[in-house]
Amino acid sequence: RHLGGTAVRSADEESTEAEAENEFGESVDLREHTVQFGVASFLSPNPPSTVQSSELPRLEDRDEDEDESGLGDACDDQVIDDREEDEVDEVDEEESNEGSDEESEEEEMLGTFSEVEPASSVQVLANRSSDERMNVWDRLAMGINTHSFQELLLDDDQVAAARRLWNSFVQGNGSPEVAGEVIFSAIVASAPSLQSLFKSPSSVIALRFSNNFGAVMAKLEDPPALKMQVETLGFTHLTWEVSLARVQLIRDAVLDAFAAELNVDQHPLGFEVWSLLLEYIAGALLFVRVHYLERLKVLSESWEKANNARGPSEEQHQDRPVSVSGERSPRRPKRKSSRSFLDKMPASIRKSSLLRRSRSPKEGEESRKKRPKNPPKDILQTVPGSFAEMFRFNATVMGFTSQQLWMKEVLACFETLVKSIGNPQRLQEECDIIVLRISKNPRVTVRLSDFRSCMLASLRSLLPDEWSSAHEVAWSWLWDNVDRLLSATMGQPPMWSKALKMLFASLDEAEAVNLRVKLFENFFELAPNGQDYFKQSLSQMQIMAMKIFELTTQIYVDPSTTVDNLAALGLRHVGYGVPKELMGPFVTAAVTSILEITKDDTAIEAFRWSLGLIAKILARTMVEGSTVVMKAIQRNNKDRVQNAIASAPRGERAQWMLIVQVGTQSISPLGWALESRSFEAASEILKDLLTIRADRDRYYYGADELFARHPNFVDMLSEHAPALLPELLDGLIWRATRTKKGMRRVNYYIKHLLVSPSGGMSKALETIAARVDPEIVCHPLLVFMANLLWNRVARQVFLFKASGFVLSLLIFMASQAQLAQSVEDSDVLPVRVAIFASRCFIYVLNLGYLLIFHGLRIGRAYMSGSVKTLPGGLMLPLYITSWQDVVSLALCVGLLLMLALEPILHCLGSDGYSALSMLCMYLYFALLIDLAVLNTNVTAFMLVILRFLSDVGLFLMALTSSIIVTASALSCLHIWQDNDAEQQNDIVGVQGVSLTLFKAFLGINVGQELDYFERVPYALIAVFFFLGISTIFLVSMLVAQMTCLYKQVYANMVGFARLRRIDVIIEMMPSVSGRRWNTFVQSLKLHEPLEFMEGDIGLAGGVQDLEPASLHPGTSERILRFGGATSTSMQWPRSERVPTDVDRLDALERLINRRWKIPGQRGRSGATSG
């Protein structure tokens, strides 16, 4: 029954339609957290603003709203010839014939349904008055009704029985997802032919079954909301081949699934109510399909064509002018006389009522004032190729300049409106958002009829060949519904926003805190299970409540940004596993809290409306974002993740794991698994993405999709799950199973780790090096990539920078060590000149560079506060982070002191100068250790030495303590005679005895000194005791400690050496020119596919190398190859896996839980019978 349809309707059908229309306008009760309205009336087949097709006016008899577009007066002097009018009449006759054909097809469909006998357990319901709701027992007597669609009234006992049955069924299967799988399996088992109707994967269909049945259960006590939910299901199934026989099969299969799992005797009322609900849903599916299928099909097809109106032929005629409607005018021979703008329009536009209707002089004058004086110059040059472009074009030409502000807001959301016409809840939500966006400009006068005129004119222009009366009726019907929803709240948001701001501003701190506390108290009272999802402290919950109240005012101020933020918030709630059923009680609790603090009806209504809209956006986002992969991640179980991913089409498999898009916001299942610390699920997803699969046509590898979705994925792993870094690196390597001449082919897919999306060097290597993990940097992929960068890019830059330091060291050696000694031997002028030149080079260039380098960094550190206060008030700049920085700063100070004491400046010698020269020589050679990075083995050796220094220091400290103790004790003895005065001066006192003991420890000949200790036996014993402790115990301890430490360090010394090289590479890369970097990247040919085997062209994005086959002797094939069909919409075959003992125990546990439903009663029964 189309809008204005020509099917002959009976009196009963007329009364049914009248009843549906009367249902519109149900009360909007946001306290019950649902906007209630009848969907049948919302999508009424015959809204009051429409007429029957037999009464549909011709194009020249359009209403005055479209004539006021500003173009009618421009053609008062235009004459339309009779031939063109005859063409219009012929078009109208063809459209009338098409309408008759549609009428006969629809009447035949209705007749088919009316002739089908209802199910054996029901009878056809008699006609009821329009003001009555349908009682459950009347429904049971009616069966599947395809003639009308009314609200269903259930009492409290019936609602409780239905929910109790559903909850028992879900609990018996363990989860709603498993319950959905049981239902789907029962449907397929009862009627295998129905399986071809289900195009989506089985896990997705099972999830939809559980979600839809759960949504129906949540709305049982609210007939208008239940009707809306059921009719929404009808619109989502419009493209399905729904028939009475099929819905009866599905109904019986669902009831059989319940009966197989539950005891019918324990749920008698529940089974009766569920039988009624399934018949109610089946009748809705059939009713909606009969009445709205063709109309929505017209809208969908015409909208798609309207946005692809510019065909290939347009490019060949870009020089042809464009008419007002967007059509290109036919080529005409040039004439000498000039023609008006309207003369250039095609006949289809000149015949329309927009140009035909004559006006009075007064009307023409008013219209001329509205119309722009000069049409835009680009009107005849630009071809609108989409509805938005054509709409803006026509709005400008039709004189709607003053209306373009609010029209722009509607146009931005118009595509969503068209796609949501089959979803009343979504359409209501989108209309509310449009009203908020329009209300940001309260001074603009809104005339919704102008948008309709411009919309229809644009569509006629974009679809000149396809446009018919069916299109006119469908698009008029769509806008009538949108107009009604927009008009319901138009102009009220500014008033609501002001009242709500005043309400919150009037609250003091104590009242605000009490309001936030009462919010959660009321919520937990209405929904006790909601407490399980609030694990934060009371102070954090206070902050959450404050942000919720801020959102209710912010959505009035900036609706676009707020809606995007709400979508992102809803997706996070999907990750948290929060059920959308809690949104309703939360809104009710919030409104109840507001009612306790104010009696201002305007503020209360403003809060209800805004919070209700917020709840609807969040609930919709949570429903659209609840995919099977996200639900599996919530369980953090790899088997569930495998099952969820296995149901994805092979062409979309990676996207299922990387993106869940809702509006403009999206969430990554893999990213959420890492953030929520579901590492088992994240590991399984990462392995699946980096698994190479192949059929005959193509290879499938998720590395490109992974890094396109997460360019900083290495940073994410390093922050949330460092243990998964080896899995990522392993997945980026492919090794051949076959070897050739002892070598194995290896593909390293390093593109995304090497090159950033902008073309520069990626930060992945720097992130890995920042972890200072010597094991991960020894991974073959990182070793290969680091060697590649070092050998071909960084080494040349490093050698160029190091050459200056080496030159400075050589000149310093020549001036201080070699030439200075030559001057002492012979007073030669050339030698003195060489010394002067060398020292000038050191003081000017080397010292000057060090002063600038350290001076700038010290100044920046103190200015920015990047200093560390040491004990005593000394502030140390934080840029000094390594021993190389300390040595470099010490060398700068040493050279500065040498300059101050330079003998050439003072013309005299200085003892301190030579000592400073020696110290600086040590510092120069200490800095030369950096050159060890040229060889990894040398670097590893130097790192081992540095690691041993701390242990050698401890040994020296213990030795020094022993020497001081023994020397102090021996100095107390009077063992010297008068004739020993000369020798006594050498070893007397602590310092003399200490030197003697140290010489003895080193094995230096000290026999003469020890002769004095022989005079006192206990003194000799003390000396022997010292030598035993120092040479045997301490030295043995040092050797043992260094041996054990070397074994420990040996495993990591190569890793630390590679870390040092990577650090140098990162330091050198800023000095590499962009041209040189681009040349290096191009030489890798990352865009070219690599071969797996000879003639087997594989994947791009990597570099191929050869390695000795003995390095990885147990290499297995990483490519999973499959035969059969190669369509990208097909799923990959499941790999067979041998069940383990854990799998068998899990299966046994599920079987026991399914069969042993009520453990208490079964246990007592078994005990009695035994």
Side-chain angles (χ1 to χ4, degrees):
R1 206 168 337 174
H2 300 283
L3 171 62
T6 55
V8 179
R9 295 181 296 236
S10 64
D12 293 340
E13 295 173 63
E14 292 286 350
S15 64
T16 301
E17 293 181 19
E19 178 181 3
E21 293 174 4
N22 291 334
E23 290 175 4
F24 183 79
E26 290 280 334
S27 61
V28 180
D29 188 1
L30 280 177
R31 296 184 191 180
E32 294 299 326
H33 54 264
T34 305
V35 180
Q36 302 173 359
F37 57 89
V39 184
S41 59
F42 168 73
L43 300 174
S44 171
N46 291 295
S49 59
T50 57
V51 294
Q52 300 297 323
S53 61
S54 59
E55 302 173 1
L56 190 68
R58 300 169 65 87
L59 291 177
E60 60 269 18
D61 296 327
R62 309 284 307 172
D63 54 14
E64 296 184 1
D65 291 338
E66 297 184 15
D67 280 292
E68 292 177 0
S69 59
L71 291 179
D73 60 319
C75 61
D76 291 339
D77 299 332
Q78 300 296 327
V79 179
I80 299 181
D81 54 357
D82 297 337
R83 179 176 57 81
E84 293 176 344
E85 292 182 354
D86 294 340
E87 293 177 356
V88 176
D89 295 337
E90 292 176 1
V91 171
D92 288 340
E93 290 181 5
E94 294 177 358
E95 293 174 351
S96 300
N97 295 334
E98 292 176 0
S100 300
D101 295 339
E102 295 173 358
E103 174 187 0
S104 60
E105 293 177 0
E106 188 176 85
E107 186 174 0
E108 181 180 353
M109 184 180 294
L110 287 172
T112 302
F113 284 124
S114 62
E115 294 173 2
V116 176
E117 295 183 0
S120 58
S121 61
V122 297
Q123 297 177 354
V124 178
L125 179 68
N127 293 333
R128 305 180 63 87
S129 59
S130 60
D131 59 347
E132 291 180 340
R133 288 178 175 173
M134 192 162 297
N135 187 276
V136 62
W137 304 115
D138 296 329
R139 270 290 184 180
L140 284 174
M142 188 193 80
I144 300 178
N145 180 20
T146 62
H147 300 280
S148 63
F149 183 49
Q150 300 170 321
E151 294 178 0
L152 185 65
L153 182 62
L154 301 173
D155 58 31
D156 295 340
D157 294 337
Q158 295 155 359
V159 171
R163 287 178 175 171
R164 187 162 50 250
L165 186 144
W166 173 250
N167 292 335
S168 299
F169 182 72
V170 172
Q171 294 174 2
N173 289 281
S175 67
E177 294 81 5
V178 178
E181 294 177 0
V182 172
I183 293 175
F184 179 64
S185 300
I187 293 174
V188 174
S190 63
S193 60
L194 295 179
Q195 189 170 7
S196 60
L197 298 177
F198 299 98
K199 307 300 182 183
S200 301
S202 58
S203 58
V204 177
I205 296 173
L207 181 62
R208 291 174 182 172
F209 269 116
S210 61
N211 288 342
N212 290 329
F213 282 146
V216 170
M217 289 295 101
K219 296 180 174 62
L220 287 181
E221 73 278 359
D222 190 351
L226 176 62
K227 183 177 182 181
M228 181 190 301
Q229 179 67 34
V230 173
E231 193 158 4
T232 301
L233 288 176
F235 281 109
T236 58
H237 290 77
L238 278 176
T239 57
W240 290 47
E241 296 296 330
V242 180
S243 65
L244 185 59
R246 286 173 173 172
V247 296
Q248 287 176 342
L249 287 173
I250 294 177
R251 175 202 61 186
D252 296 339
V254 173
L255 294 177
D256 291 342
F258 288 166
E261 299 289 332
L262 304 174
N263 190 346
V264 180
D265 297 335
Q266 295 179 357
H267 304 276
L269 183 58
F271 273 89
E272 293 177 354
V273 177
W274 263 93
S275 177
L276 161 74
L277 286 173
L278 294 173
E279 292 174 353
Y280 182 64
I281 295 172
L285 297 180
L286 296 172
F287 181 86
V288 170
R289 178 177 176 81
V290 170
H291 291 82
Y292 303 115
L293 177 60
E294 291 300 325
R295 188 174 301 168
L296 295 180
K297 184 178 179 181
V298 168
L299 291 174
S300 176
E301 293 179 352
S302 58
W303 177 253
E304 183 178 357
K305 292 180 180 178
N307 285 280
N308 296 278
R310 181 183 296 182
S313 60
E314 296 288 346
E315 299 177 357
Q316 305 172 5
H317 305 284
Q318 292 294 334
D319 58 329
R320 295 168 58 185
V322 183
S323 64
V324 175
S325 65
E327 299 178 36
R328 292 193 175 275
S329 57
R331 294 187 179 274
R332 305 175 187 266
K334 295 184 178 180
R335 298 182 181 179
K336 295 181 180 180
S337 60
S338 60
R339 300 169 57 198
S340 66
F341 177 72
L342 294 175
D343 286 334
K344 299 179 182 180
M345 296 183 187
S348 61
I349 297 301
R350 298 203 307 271
K351 290 181 289 185
S352 67
S353 61
L354 293 175
L355 306 180
R356 185 183 182 109
R357 179 179 174 270
S358 62
R359 304 187 180 188
S360 63
K362 183 177 180 180
E363 292 175 341
E365 183 66 23
E366 293 178 355
S367 180
R368 289 188 185 93
K369 293 180 180 180
K370 299 179 182 178
R371 186 185 56 177
K373 295 181 179 180
N374 299 320
K377 294 182 180 180
D378 58 345
I379 287 182
L380 302 179
Q381 300 175 0
T382 305
V383 181
S386 64
F387 174 81
E389 295 175 1
M390 183 61 73
F391 186 93
R392 287 190 289 266
F393 178 84
N394 281 338
T396 302
V397 175
M398 296 169 72
F400 294 150
T401 306
S402 61
Q403 303 286 314
Q404 286 188 1
L405 286 177
W406 71 266
M407 285 185 174
K408 180 182 178 181
E409 302 293 347
V410 180
L411 186 61
C413 306
F414 192 72
E415 182 173 4
T416 306
L417 293 175
V418 175
K419 295 181 178 180
S420 302
I421 189 62
N423 188 342
Q425 297 173 339
R426 182 72 174 92
L427 187 62
Q428 175 72 62
E429 175 191 324
E430 197 64 30
C431 289
D432 291 342
I433 296 173
I434 292 174
V435 171
L436 288 174
R437 297 178 65 168
I438 294 176
S439 299
K440 292 175 62 178
N441 301 301
R443 298 182 180 180
V444 176
T445 302
V446 179
R447 293 187 302 174
L448 297 177
S449 58
D450 291 346
F451 191 94
R452 170 183 175 143
S453 302
C454 194
M455 175 193 72
L456 293 176
S458 302
L459 289 169
R460 294 191 205 104
S461 303
L462 292 169
L463 305 171
D465 299 329
E466 295 87 353
W467 193 260
S468 64
S469 61
H471 292 78
E472 192 85 14
V473 168
W475 286 99
S476 299
W477 166 74
L478 179 146
W479 184 251
D480 287 340
N481 288 289
V482 174
D483 190 339
R484 182 166 61 251
L485 294 176
L486 293 177
S487 301
T489 53
M490 187 67 69
Q492 298 186 30
M495 176 182 61
W496 288 342
S497 177
K498 183 178 179 180
L500 197 57
K501 288 181 180 179
M502 293 179 61
L503 171 62
F504 290 135
S506 64
L507 300 177
D508 56 24
E509 184 63 26
E511 291 176 336
V513 171
N514 183 62
L515 175 63
R516 295 193 286 265
V517 172
K518 292 294 295 181
L519 167 62
F520 287 104
E521 288 180 356
N522 295 335
F523 173 64
F524 294 149
E525 183 179 353
L526 291 173
N529 60 329
Q531 301 179 67
D532 299 336
Y533 299 95
F534 288 90
K535 304 176 183 178
Q536 297 81 4
S537 63
L538 183 60
S539 58
Q540 289 179 312
M541 293 175 63
Q542 288 271 342
I543 297 175
M544 293 170 57
M546 181 177 62
K547 291 183 178 180
I548 292 171
F549 290 126
E550 289 177 354
L551 283 174
T552 58
T553 58
Q554 187 178 359
I555 198 171
Y556 289 108
V557 179
D558 191 359
S560 301
T561 304
T562 306
V563 169
D564 288 342
N565 294 337
L566 287 173
L569 181 62
L571 289 174
R572 293 188 67 84
H573 279 69
V574 173
Y576 295 135
V578 178
K580 67 180 182 62
E581 289 77 15
L582 294 179
M583 289 298 166
F586 192 86
V587 174
T588 303
V591 174
T592 303
S593 303
I594 291 293
L595 288 173
E596 296 177 1
I597 65 172
T598 183
K599 301 299 181 183
D600 186 355
D601 294 338
T602 304
I604 294 173
E605 184 62 24
F607 185 77
R608 286 176 179 171
W609 190 84
S610 61
L611 189 59
L613 178 58
I614 290 171
K616 287 189 290 185
I617 295 174
L618 288 176
R620 173 183 57 82
T621 305
M622 291 163 64
V623 171
E624 295 178 2
S626 295
T627 63
V628 291
V629 178
M630 290 296 292
K631 288 186 174 294
I633 291 173
Q634 295 169 13
R635 303 295 182 88
N636 193 25
N637 183 278
K638 68 176 185 179
D639 292 333
R640 291 183 179 273
V641 173
Q642 288 175 355
N643 293 334
I645 299 173
S647 59
R650 60 183 65 178
E652 303 175 7
R653 190 179 181 105
Q655 298 301 321
W656 276 37
M657 295 177 278
L658 292 174
I659 185 169
V660 176
Q661 185 79 33
V662 178
T664 59
Q665 299 295 321
S666 63
I667 189 174
S668 169
L670 175 57
W672 180 256
L674 294 174
E675 186 176 349
S676 62
R677 307 187 68 82
S678 300
F679 296 141
E680 186 176 349
S683 174
E684 193 63 33
I685 292 176
L686 186 60
K687 290 179 181 178
D688 192 90
L689 283 171
L690 300 180
T691 299
I692 304 176
R693 296 179 176 86
D695 53 27
R696 295 188 305 275
D697 291 346
R698 61 186 65 86
Y699 285 94
Y700 295 85
Y701 187 45
D704 290 339
E705 290 84 351
L706 172 62
F707 286 96
R709 182 69 174 91
H710 300 291
N712 60 337
F713 186 68
V714 176
D715 295 342
M716 293 173 59
L717 283 185
S718 298
E719 180 180 359
H720 298 292
L724 297 182
L725 276 173
E727 293 187 12
L728 171 66
L729 300 177
D730 290 340
L732 296 176
I733 299 178
W734 172 86
R735 290 186 175 87
T737 56
R738 300 178 183 177
T739 60
K740 185 176 182 180
K741 296 181 179 180
M743 303 298 290
R744 188 191 309 276
R745 182 178 302 188
V746 185
N747 293 350
Y748 297 99
Y749 293 97
I750 60 174
K751 174 182 177 181
H752 301 289
L753 298 182
L754 184 64
V755 184
S756 66
S758 60
M761 180 179 174
S762 174
K763 299 292 184 181
L765 197 62
E766 182 178 355
T767 301
I768 295 174
R771 291 192 49 78
V772 195
D773 185 352
E775 294 183 5
I776 193 66
V777 295
C778 291
H779 192 278
L781 182 76
L782 294 180
V783 172
F784 176 80
M785 188 169 68
N787 290 338
L788 196 66
L789 286 170
W790 173 254
N791 294 328
R792 301 181 60 176
V793 180
R795 182 171 58 186
Q796 294 82 346
V797 179
F798 175 77
L799 290 176
F800 177 77
K801 288 188 174 183
S803 60
F805 176 78
V806 173
L807 179 62
S808 300
L809 174 59
L810 294 176
I811 293 176
F812 186 79
M813 291 175 59
S815 64
Q816 301 298 326
Q818 185 65 33
L819 296 178
Q821 299 298 329
S822 300
V823 171
E824 295 179 358
D825 297 338
S826 60
D827 190 4
V828 181
L829 181 61
V831 175
R832 294 184 177 273
V833 172
I835 293 175
F836 177 79
S838 301
R839 293 185 179 181
C840 287
F841 178 87
I842 295 297
Y843 294 140
V844 174
L845 296 180
N846 199 0
L847 178 59
Y849 168 77
L850 291 174
L851 285 174
I852 295 174
F853 178 83
H854 290 285
L856 290 177
R857 280 160 178 76
I858 291 174
R860 292 172 184 172
Y862 281 106
M863 291 178 63
S864 62
S866 301
V867 293
K868 181 179 180 181
T869 303
L870 300 177
L874 180 63
M875 292 186 294
L876 181 67
L878 293 181
Y879 84 93
I880 302 177
T881 57
S882 62
W883 68 269
Q884 288 94 339
D885 296 328
V886 176
V887 173
S888 177
L889 182 60
L891 178 61
C892 178
V893 175
L895 291 176
L896 193 61
L897 294 175
M898 286 180 62
L899 177 62
L901 300 176
E902 176 59 45
I904 297 178
L905 298 178
H906 297 280
C907 297
L908 49 88
S910 176
D911 296 336
Y913 182 82
S914 59
L916 288 173
S917 177
M918 181 185 69
L919 176 63
C920 290
M921 188 69 70
Y922 276 116
L923 296 177
Y924 265 113
F925 277 98
L927 291 177
L928 195 65
I929 295 177
D930 281 347
L931 293 180
V933 74
L934 292 172
N935 187 281
T936 305
N937 294 328
V938 175
T939 305
F941 179 74
M942 296 301 300
L943 291 174
V944 171
I945 293 176
L946 294 176
R947 179 65 181 84
F948 284 168
L949 288 180
S950 60
D951 298 283
V952 174
L954 293 174
F955 167 77
L956 293 177
M957 183 179 67
L959 178 62
T960 303
S961 300
S962 301
I963 292 175
I964 293 175
V965 170
T966 306
S968 300
L970 291 177
S971 297
C972 299
L973 297 175
H974 297 282
I975 60 176
W976 314 110
Q977 300 178 1
D978 295 337
N979 56 355
D980 299 331
E982 297 180 358
Q983 291 81 0
Q984 180 181 357
N985 294 332
D986 296 334
I987 60 174
V988 69
V990 176
Q991 67 276 13
V993 177
S994 298
L995 181 60
T996 301
L997 294 176
F998 184 67
K999 290 179 179 179
F1001 171 77
L1002 295 179
I1004 300 176
N1005 185 13
V1006 290
Q1008 186 177 0
E1009 289 83 352
L1010 292 178
D1011 291 341
Y1012 295 100
F1013 296 109
E1014 294 179 356
R1015 299 173 182 177
V1016 182
Y1018 45 82
L1020 188 61
I1021 294 174
V1023 173
F1024 288 158
F1025 180 78
F1026 162 74
L1027 292 176
I1029 291 294
S1030 60
T1031 58
I1032 299 176
F1033 180 73
L1034 291 181
V1035 172
S1036 299
M1037 281 289 297
L1038 177 63
V1039 172
Q1041 187 174 2
M1042 294 184 68
T1043 302
C1044 296
L1045 182 63
Y1046 186 82
K1047 292 181 179 180
Q1048 178 183 356
V1049 173
Y1050 180 79
N1052 296 327
M1053 66 178 181
V1054 176
F1056 283 113
R1058 296 192 181 280
L1059 273 173
R1060 179 57 187 157
R1061 173 172 287 186
I1062 292 175
D1063 291 338
V1064 173
I1065 292 174
I1066 295 172
E1067 292 176 6
M1068 297 298 108
M1069 290 311 298
S1071 302
V1072 177
S1073 64
R1075 180 179 179 181
R1076 184 173 183 179
W1077 172 257
N1078 293 332
T1079 302
F1080 164 70
V1081 173
Q1082 292 175 3
S1083 67
L1084 298 179
K1085 299 180 181 180
L1086 298 175
H1087 60 283
E1088 296 183 1
L1090 301 178
E1091 285 187 342
F1092 287 124
M1093 299 302 294
E1094 294 183 1
D1096 184 7
I1097 306 300
L1099 301 164
V1103 178
Q1104 193 169 95
D1105 194 20
L1106 296 175
E1107 69 177 17
S1110 59
L1111 286 180
H1112 300 88
T1115 301
S1116 59
E1117 180 60 62
R1118 282 197 59 228
I1119 303 178
L1120 303 181
R1121 300 183 182 272
F1122 299 91
T1126 60
S1127 173
T1128 57
S1129 61
M1130 295 182 60
Q1131 305 171 5
W1132 290 111
R1134 290 177 179 261
S1135 57
E1136 297 183 359
R1137 184 171 66 94
V1138 179
T1140 63
D1141 294 337
V1142 176
D1143 297 330
R1144 297 187 181 95
L1145 289 175
D1146 291 341
L1148 180 61
E1149 183 180 359
R1150 288 194 297 269
L1151 179 62
I1152 293 175
N1153 291 335
R1154 181 175 300 179
R1155 295 302 179 185
W1156 203 260
K1157 298 299 179 183
I1158 310 176
Q1161 295 184 6
R1162 290 291 181 91
R1164 289 191 294 270
S1165 176
T1168 303
S1169 60

